[in-house]
Amino acid sequence: MASWRPALREPDPMRAAIYDYIRNRSPQVYLEGGGAARALGRTSVVMSDGGPLNLDLTLTPLDTSMVGTRTAIVFGISGHVADTAAGYEVQGKVVLDRQTLAFLSIDASPTLLNRRG
């Protein structure tokens, strides 16, 4: 049986901002229903280090699975983010508990696309 484990270290400011964006927007996409890819909406946020970050991600339902005794919904995450220095492509996966909409896992990794200046 799977068990929850705390993070081993704090995420970097960009990843933390991406995770907050996903946590705030993905449950609503599930509640609105549908099996197609859904844009989470473009937004700008301030990261914990004070820098700006522009986000534009899409959530795609992939599968349902069992995590322990709970039914979970697996979503794919894709899109782009940009700070003042560079643009990044984001790919990842989100797992939500179907009944409570609690996040069981989030993995969204930014990959450098281009650096400004």
Side-chain angles (χ1 to χ4, degrees):
M1 180 165 115
S3 62
W4 178 83
R5 285 184 234 156
L8 298 175
R9 61 183 169 84
E10 287 290 320
D12 61 83
M14 180 182 293
R15 195 175 303 249
I18 293 169
Y19 287 2
D20 286 346
Y21 171 83
I22 292 169
R23 280 188 204 101
N24 288 333
R25 297 187 184 221
S26 40
Q28 187 60 37
V29 169
Y30 169 70
L31 291 172
E32 290 172 0
R38 298 279 306 274
L40 295 180
R42 186 176 295 172
T43 192
S44 296
V45 299
V46 177
M47 295 183 285
S48 61
D49 66 359
L53 184 68
N54 296 310
L55 301 108
D56 187 14
L57 300 178
T58 299
L59 188 73
T60 306
L62 297 178
D63 198 6
T64 58
S65 65
M66 293 298 290
V67 176
T69 60
R70 309 291 296 194
T71 303
I73 305 160
V74 181
F75 294 97
I77 289 286
S78 61
H80 297 90
V81 299
D83 60 15
T84 56
Y88 302 84
E89 179 180 38
V90 176
Q91 296 290 326
K93 185 170 79 169
V94 173
V95 181
L96 285 177
D97 180 284
R98 187 174 189 151
Q99 184 177 0
T100 64
L101 297 182
F103 286 89
L104 302 177
S105 71
I106 300 175
D107 178 30
S109 301
T111 304
L112 181 66
L113 287 178
N114 58 10
R115 189 163 302 280
R116 296 188 185 134

